[in-house]
Amino acid sequence: MNPLAANINLNAIMQSPQLSNSIQLILSLALISLVPFFLISVTAFLRIIIVFALLRTAIGTQQVPPNTVMVGLAMFMTVFVMSPVWKEVNTQAVVPYNQGKISQTKAFEVAMKPLHKFMLKQTREKDLALFVQFSRIEKPKTVDEIPTYVLIPAFMISELKTAFQIGFLLFIPFIIIDLTVSNILLSLGMFMLSPVMVSLPFKILLFVLVDGWNLICRGLLMSFR
């Protein structure tokens, strides 16, 4: 057997359309696996799920509501909040790309503009200045010049701060109930009775009487205006 026949022409393989299609398929699958992480990072989901988790901790119900219920509600609220952004992305990027009017690269750039605008609206200037400073880039003249990799972490820490601020306000009425129940039990000499078990029904009752879920959802939706 001729050894030259066994040689592999690497240049021909690298330039073959079959290989480029395979690489594109692998990259597409890798990007698809990152979509949930990306959506959590650049949408309203982060703030909503943290507020729900802090609310459950403040009430003291531990695993009620279950994680699946909280994540499901947070996801549907995220879809509701982000629907204007998705509609804009679909109109300006997806539809023209499917019609062949713009390239894939151009469609991605156009699709990022509504997300960029949404994140900028929810990001604090202080947080944005922090990442602009440490990114070692030239100071942007306009907000549209801020790179996405700089905007996303600034948006995330702004969302974390906002969520914790809302959570702090949620804790106040429930802490007052805990302190009141603890003082009553101490005055009655019931040292062995757990104040948490006694205050839990009163906290649930208060939350139900004020229509807590409606207030929380209303406040979260208004915070994104």
Side-chain angles (χ1 to χ4, degrees), residues 3 20 66 75 77 79 84 101 121 125-126 135 183 206 212 220:
S20 69
M75 285 296 297
M77 287 189 62
V79 171
K101 296 181 179 179
K121 186 177 180 181
E125 294 184 3
K126 182 179 180 181
S135 63
N183 289 330
L206 172 65
L220 284 170

Side-chain angles (χ1 to χ4, degrees), residues 3-106:
L4 294 177
N7 290 338
I8 299 176
N9 190 342
L10 294 179
N11 290 330
I13 294 176
M14 294 299 294
Q15 295 176 0
S16 64
Q18 292 83 2
L19 181 63
S20 69
N21 291 335
S22 300
I23 293 176
Q24 289 181 2
L25 178 61
I26 293 173
L27 292 176
S28 299
L29 292 175
L31 290 175
I32 290 173
S33 65
L34 295 176
V35 167
F37 173 77
F38 180 77
L39 292 178
I40 290 173
S41 303
V42 301
T43 63
F45 181 83
L46 187 63
R47 181 189 305 183
I48 295 172
I49 194 64
I50 291 177
V51 170
F52 285 166
L54 291 174
L55 172 64
R56 188 172 65 179
T57 303
I59 298 176
T61 53
Q62 298 180 354
Q63 297 300 319
V64 179
N67 290 331
T68 53
V69 175
M70 294 179 61
V71 172
L73 179 58
M75 285 296 297
F76 281 108
M77 287 189 62
T78 301
V79 171
F80 183 83
V81 172
M82 301 298 296
S83 58
V85 179
W86 302 141
K87 290 179 181 178
E88 191 173 351
V89 171
N90 182 66
T91 303
Q92 298 182 3
V94 178
V95 173
Y97 174 73
N98 290 334
Q99 295 175 350
K101 296 181 179 179
I102 58 176
S103 64
Q104 185 177 4
T105 304
K106 182 65 177 179

